[in-house]
Amino acid sequence: MSTTLPQSKRNLSGRTNRIVPEEARVTGDRYTSREFMELELDYVWARVWNIGGRAAEIPEPGDFIVHGLGRDSILMVRQHDGSVRAFHNVCTHRGNRLVQTEGGSTEKFICSYHGWTFGADGTLIHVQDEEDFPKGNPCGKMNLPQIPCEVWAGFIWYNMDPDCLSLGSFLGEVKTYIDQHRLQDMTRTFYRVTEVPFNWKALHDNFCESYHLPTAHPQLADYYDDDYRNTDFELFDAGHSLMKMKGCMPSERGDDPNGINETLAAEMQAWGLDPKDFEGRALEVRDAMQKHKRENAEALGYDYFATIEPSWLTDAYHFNLFPGSSITVSSIGASLQRCEPHPFDPNKSIYEHWHMTLKPNADGMVPSPIGMIPFQPAERDEFPFGSKTVGFTADQDLHVASNQQLGFHSRGFKGAYLSGQENRIQQFHNKIDDYIAEGRRQQDGL
């Protein structure tokens, strides 16, 4: 059980709202065991809300996308009433994978094995030799297995548990935060996918702490204050968490926190501030940028700058969504990174990096994990690990996790020894064990 801290004590390990005790030991077998992987697939991933794609991918009735998760495949289809339905992507006749593409548009889905035909609403509408079934004509009866599906923040969400809580209940405080922003109006301009040589939890652990930033990402200190003592951490009951890191200022523990570096100067110039006006006063830029964006919201082309919380205009709000997704929200965009389990191997996972941005009002170029790129919808770009960048900072994270996976197999690793600022890792693993324990209880009828 977590301990909620009074306001006067929230400067421990940064400003955090609670401390989670060590209930789950974070040992190497959690990342390497096939048995533990199966428990996660059955009792965690099959019982949480997952992101299947962007709603903009399927704008018209009959448009569909497919998302693979472990050994499951989920089919999401736009309906004639504008809603989206999600189904297990499997023919109910004899288990053939029904749709074998990543997406498309159709009024009906025809199984490539025996021709069973399903409408866009999942109803079985045609079978060959319908009279030759001792149990009766399967049409209208053996329909696609439908699962809960909701659209929020421009994402399509699904849950393989038919008795799940609503998406809003699952997200809790995260939904309240992100509703202040405009993710539903953003366009995905960067979309890269690769199979990585580490367990999915290794990367989510990484996103649950900022302790690694000075070592693994020293370049971030030019623009973000990576000192945990100046960072806010929030842990939520559902297993999600949030890190609020101050931006538009150098790290206060850097060699020259008052100096205007090239990264900060470029950002100031992009928004209309003169770096020369702040020479020797870099720590004042954050407040000045917030004021500038609010006062010039209309001229900058983003009217909502005048109404949202000032910190949204400069800082990184990094949300970890249980179990495997992370969304970092900034003033005009958001990045999603997620690692999901490999179908069979606990030493591998599927990594995706998306970047979404609001439409620019100037030259049509927008920021991305690899620098400025044209504002246009990105196609899915899947490639072998290491053959192409997934983003400058993300490449560094994936390199670390790859080495870490080797260490999880070492006889010398006896379990994680966590700092206070890594407490969100403990929360993450505690929640995994909670889901597994609850799933077993339900299976046993207790």
Side-chain angles (χ1 to χ4, degrees), residues 54-56 152-155 178-189 302 304 332-334 356-360 375:
R54 293 290 288 173
W152 172 75
F155 299 109
I178 294 183
D179 276 341
Q180 301 176 49
H181 240 276
R182 293 172 52 188
L183 269 69
Q184 69 278 4
D185 297 328
M186 295 180 182
T187 297
R188 183 173 57 190
T189 53
Y302 301 103
Y304 75 102
I332 61 170
M356 298 153 287
T357 56
L358 293 171
K359 185 177 181 180
F375 178 78

Side-chain angles (χ1 to χ4, degrees), residues 154-207:
F155 299 109
I156 303 170
W157 301 74
Y158 67 85
N159 195 314
M160 289 183 274
D161 180 4
D163 300 317
C164 65
L165 296 172
S166 68
L167 176 62
S169 297
F170 173 75
L171 292 172
E173 298 92 335
V174 170
K175 185 176 186 301
T176 302
Y177 268 115
I178 294 183
D179 276 341
Q180 301 176 49
H181 240 276
R182 293 172 52 188
L183 269 69
Q184 69 278 4
D185 297 328
M186 295 180 182
T187 297
R188 183 173 57 190
T189 53
F190 183 89
Y191 184 12
R192 296 193 176 180
V193 183
T194 189
E195 181 183 293
V196 290
F198 53 80
N199 185 273
W200 65 275
K201 294 185 295 299
L203 193 66
H204 202 68
D205 288 346
N206 178 82
F207 292 150

Side-chain angles (χ1 to χ4, degrees), residues 7 32 40 42 44 62 156 158 161 171 178-179 187 204 221 224 234-235 266-267 362 380 392 419-420 424 434:
Q7 192 67 40
T32 62
E40 291 175 335
D42 288 343
V44 180
I156 303 170
Y158 67 85
D161 180 4
L171 292 172
I178 294 183
D179 276 341
T187 297
H204 202 68
Y224 290 108
E234 295 187 27
L235 289 74
E267 181 74 2
R380 176 186 174 95
F392 305 136
S419 65
R424 291 182 297 155
D434 289 346

Side-chain angles (χ1 to χ4, degrees), residues 123-359:
T123 301
L124 179 60
I125 57 177
H126 171 75
V127 300
Q128 179 178 297
D129 303 331
E130 62 186 34
E131 73 284 353
D132 189 32
F133 290 86
K135 295 180 182 179
N137 185 347
C139 288
K141 181 170 60 175
M142 297 296 293
N143 303 324
L144 292 181
Q146 186 171 345
I147 59 175
C149 181
E150 296 189 33
V151 175
W152 172 75
F155 299 109
I156 303 170
W157 301 74
Y158 67 85
N159 195 314
M160 289 183 274
D161 180 4
D163 300 317
C164 65
L165 296 172
S166 68
L167 176 62
S169 297
F170 173 75
L171 292 172
E173 298 92 335
V174 170
K175 185 176 186 301
T176 302
Y177 268 115
I178 294 183
D179 276 341
Q180 301 176 49
H181 240 276
R182 293 172 52 188
L183 269 69
Q184 69 278 4
D185 297 328
M186 295 180 182
T187 297
R188 183 173 57 190
T189 53
F190 183 89
Y191 184 12
R192 296 193 176 180
V193 183
T194 189
E195 181 183 293
V196 290
F198 53 80
N199 185 273
W200 65 275
K201 294 185 295 299
L203 193 66
H204 202 68
D205 288 346
N206 178 82
F207 292 150
C208 282
E209 50 93 349
S210 57
Y211 190 43
H212 71 285
L213 297 189
T215 306
H217 310 306
Q219 76 277 5
L220 295 183
D222 287 347
Y223 188 80
Y224 290 108
D225 185 3
D226 59 10
D227 191 327
Y228 74 93
R229 292 163 293 190
N230 300 324
T231 302
D232 290 340
F233 304 100
E234 295 187 27
L235 289 74
F236 306 126
D237 290 339
H240 317 304
S241 65
L242 167 62
M243 178 178 70
K244 303 175 186 176
M245 181 172 286
K246 293 179 180 178
C248 211
M249 60 183 293
S251 173
E252 288 200 52
R253 60 179 170 189
D255 294 335
D256 185 17
N258 289 305
I260 300 293
N261 58 68
E262 291 183 6
T263 302
L264 184 59
E267 181 74 2
M268 295 171 70
Q269 291 169 338
W271 289 102
L273 288 181
D274 189 348
K276 294 180 180 178
D277 294 339
F278 292 87
E279 289 182 358
R281 298 186 296 118
L283 296 181
E284 298 177 21
V285 173
R286 176 175 178 266
D287 289 342
M289 181 67 79
Q290 292 174 2
K291 181 179 179 181
H292 175 74
K293 286 185 175 181
R294 289 174 71 86
E295 292 179 349
N296 298 278
E298 186 173 352
L300 292 171
Y302 301 103
D303 293 348
Y304 75 102
F305 281 4
T307 59
I308 63 173
E309 184 178 337
S311 59
W312 283 107
L313 300 174
T314 54
D315 301 354
Y317 277 62
H318 184 78
F319 297 91
N320 289 317
L321 306 184
F322 184 83
S325 295
S326 296
I327 299 177
T328 302
V329 182
S330 62
S331 61
I332 61 170
S335 284
L336 177 145
Q337 295 185 73
R338 63 179 178 184
C339 245
E340 295 178 330
H342 186 274
F344 303 104
D345 190 346
N347 297 286
K348 299 178 181 179
S349 53
I350 309 303
Y351 168 82
E352 298 192 19
H353 196 177
W354 307 358
H355 191 73
M356 298 153 287
T357 56
L358 293 171
K359 185 177 181 180

Side-chain angles (χ1 to χ4, degrees), residues 43 47 437-446:
Y43 299 132
R47 296 170 181 244
E438 178 61 24
R440 283 172 154 170
R441 282 193 295 268
Q442 292 179 7
Q443 185 176 23
D444 294 340
L446 299 178

